[in-house]
Amino acid sequence: MGAARVAVVTSAAGIEYDVDLRLIVDALRADGLAAEAVAWDADGVEWGGFDLAVIRSTWDYSGRLDEFLAWADKAGRATRLWNPLPVVRWNSDKRYLPELAGRGVAVVPTRVIDPGGRCEEADFDLPTGVVVKPSVSAGARDTARYEPGRHADAARHARMLLDQGRSAMVQPYLPLVEEGERALVFLATEDGLTFSHAIRKQPVLTEPNVIDNFRDAHPGLVPHEPTGAEIRTALDALAAVPAPDALLFARVDLALDDSRAPVVMELELIEPNLFLQSDPRALERFVSAVAAVSAQR
């Protein structure tokens, strides 16, 4: 039996900007796997020719969700897809946040308004202001925070999303996010999904009352040593994922609420930046996870 063929799935944007992509491909090859970077929407790809397809930087999926999910369904029938299609489908819409809350996970309080709904369903006039975003989005696209007193602008933002046929999410702005968002990365091991490393970054929504789709999605990155409470909150969120044992990788983004308790901002299971260069052993752990899965063929 020859070396397992592994597709490291990316996109045009990923090929240009994913700093981990070449590192991953080279490290997998050094580990004896026949790895190559493949754009998910590339023409003529025979996905059945791969033993494994690992989604990494498909960073345009949120703007082409139906097309992307159709690809994931096709690829998942042709080969083994990680993370698997049910997880990808579930995680593609941030309405999973109220679902996690219903399962007892500490999350940012989130109200979802679907197309056909009314903005009066949500409270846009909160003491610390609000964040408005589409439920399907990546990189804070079409997202803004609104200061107290700017509730009319916030409602107008939500109405714009609804008019486009998109679901809108309304959340309280958490002032302590200005101390840094935390991103905790977990990778599959023989003991299950295990904490690998974490980073802290400066807040993204620095300019209030403005939709800015050209923001740096990960400003001011530094390594982060998570607290026990942060680890527990992340593990609670992962335990609530449908088929959590099927995960190859996960990133849990946290912020602190007014009581300084960690709450989940996002659960990234499709194509998160894993910040593999932020920890000297992170790439090695990722390769080990992929190699273990490929060996199961």
Side-chain angles (χ1 to χ4, degrees):
M1 183 180 296
R5 291 193 68 206
V6 179
V8 182
V9 187
T10 185
S11 60
I15 290 171
E16 185 170 359
Y17 298 112
D18 182 2
V19 296
D20 288 338
L21 186 62
R22 176 48 54 189
L23 296 177
I24 289 171
V25 171
D26 289 347
L28 290 172
R29 288 175 177 173
D31 203 58
L33 301 174
E36 59 183 286
V38 186
W40 70 272
D41 58 350
D43 293 332
V45 178
E46 294 292 339
W47 294 100
F50 293 99
D51 299 290
L52 181 66
V54 179
I55 302 174
R56 284 310 319 121
S57 44
T58 57
W59 290 339
D60 55 354
Y61 87 89
S62 64
R64 306 166 60 188
L65 184 59
D66 290 343
E67 187 181 351
F68 178 75
L69 292 177
W71 164 81
D73 180 66
K74 176 183 176 181
R77 285 185 277 109
T79 186
R80 294 180 299 153
L81 184 68
W82 262 271
N83 285 325
L85 175 63
V87 171
V88 170
R89 188 177 295 278
W90 177 82
N91 193 232
S92 65
D93 191 314
K94 294 181 180 64
R95 64 181 60 248
Y96 63 74
L97 285 169
E99 183 178 334
L100 291 178
R103 297 182 183 183
V105 180
V107 305
V108 180
T110 301
R111 183 63 186 259
V112 179
I113 312 171
D114 290 317
R118 302 173 61 197
C119 287
E120 290 77 7
E121 297 175 25
D123 188 353
F124 294 92
D125 191 16
L126 298 179
T128 60
V130 297
V131 174
V132 179
K133 64 179 72 173
S135 68
V136 176
S137 180
R141 187 167 184 82
D142 294 336
T143 298
R145 72 174 176 95
Y146 294 90
E147 294 174 309
R150 299 294 293 267
H151 46 278
D153 293 331
R156 189 176 301 112
H157 181 168
R159 194 173 299 111
M160 176 195 73
L161 296 174
L162 298 177
D163 289 345
Q164 295 172 353
R166 306 160 77 185
S167 296
M169 294 172 49
V170 183
Q171 301 170 319
Y173 178 69
L174 302 180
L176 289 180
V177 76
E178 294 169 19
E179 295 185 8
E181 299 178 23
R182 289 92 160 109
L184 279 60
V185 176
F186 293 77
L187 299 172
T189 69
E190 60 183 12
D191 297 321
L193 207 60
T194 302
F195 172 72
S196 170
H197 59 284
I199 61 95
R200 189 174 69 255
K201 65 181 181 180
Q202 295 173 0
V204 176
L205 304 179
T206 52
E207 186 178 0
N209 316 311
V210 171
I211 299 173
D212 180 1
N213 288 334
F214 297 96
R215 296 182 179 99
D216 181 355
H218 305 294
L221 293 177
V222 294
H224 176 65
E225 187 67 34
T227 65
E230 290 169 358
I231 292 285
R232 288 191 296 273
T233 299
L235 289 174
D236 286 347
L238 293 172
V241 174
D245 294 338
L247 298 178
L248 177 67
F249 55 81
R251 197 184 88 202
V252 186
D253 292 351
L254 305 172
L256 302 181
D257 68 12
D258 291 343
S259 66
R260 304 196 67 82
V263 293
V264 175
M265 297 181 69
E266 292 190 20
L267 185 54
E268 298 269 11
L269 308 178
I270 300 178
E271 39 62 76
N273 188 328
L274 298 176
F275 310 111
L276 296 179
Q277 298 183 65
S278 68
D279 183 283
R281 294 196 58 199
L283 180 60
E284 176 187 340
R285 296 186 193 107
F286 180 82
V287 169
S288 295
V290 175
V293 171
S294 68
Q296 296 170 7
R297 63 180 176 147

